[in-house]
Amino acid sequence: MADEATDVVVCSVRELDASGACGFAIGTGDWPLRGLVLRDATGIVQAYVDRCPHAGHPLALKDHDFLTPDRAFIKCSSHGALFERDTGICVAGPCPGRTLRRLQVRVDGEDVRIAPPV
Ligand code: FES
């Protein structure tokens, strides 16, 4: 569960519904925490670190371009890995069975909030 005292607003629920997934960066300098959030049809929000377990690349080559065209899977644009939305498990591509790293997330009204790992 995200901690209200330390978590950070990364996007709004309205943005998620419009785009399907939103990317974010928390922190500054050369190595901010980069991640993505997405919401399913039942309203459950998931968040993952934006780093592919295959070769460590960011998943999207364009801003917020994390999903397949039908929005059924999270994709990696580098070599085509596909990940389940609700588990982050790779189901196709070069790293089957490996997973995206999950982040703690909560929804507070319209705000989607992430607890940065310590
Ligand atoms: S870095 Fe993601 S599939 Fe290769």
Side-chain angles (χ1 to χ4, degrees), residues 9-81:
V9 176
V10 295
C11 71
S12 71
V13 169
R14 191 166 299 142
E15 288 173 290
L16 275 185
D17 288 344
S19 65
C22 290
F24 63 85
I26 298 174
T28 58
D30 292 338
W31 303 104
L33 171 65
R34 296 188 190 281
L36 66 143
V37 292
L38 61 159
R39 189 165 99 124
D40 69 16
T42 66
I44 296 174
V45 176
Q46 308 284 353
Y48 300 103
V49 173
D50 181 10
R51 180 180 167 90
C52 181
H54 172 230
H57 297 183
L59 296 165
L61 297 178
K62 297 183 294 186
D63 285 351
H64 312 297
D65 184 28
F66 294 105
L67 301 177
T68 53
D70 63 0
R71 297 187 176 185
F73 295 95
I74 301 165
K75 67 178 180 182
C76 178
S77 295
S78 289
H79 309 110

Side-chain angles (χ1 to χ4, degrees), residues 50-118:
D50 181 10
R51 180 180 167 90
C52 181
H54 172 230
H57 297 183
L59 296 165
L61 297 178
K62 297 183 294 186
D63 285 351
H64 312 297
D65 184 28
F66 294 105
L67 301 177
T68 53
D70 63 0
R71 297 187 176 185
F73 295 95
I74 301 165
K75 67 178 180 182
C76 178
S77 295
S78 289
H79 309 110
L82 298 179
F83 303 89
E84 291 181 338
R85 294 173 54 117
D86 57 346
T87 65
I89 295 174
C90 179
V91 294
C95 51
R98 296 183 68 185
T99 61
L100 299 174
R101 184 173 164 210
R102 188 180 297 275
L103 293 168
Q104 292 185 2
V105 60
R106 72 182 178 92
V107 175
D108 180 16
E110 274 293 308
D111 295 337
V112 178
R113 304 178 74 99
I114 295 290
V118 287

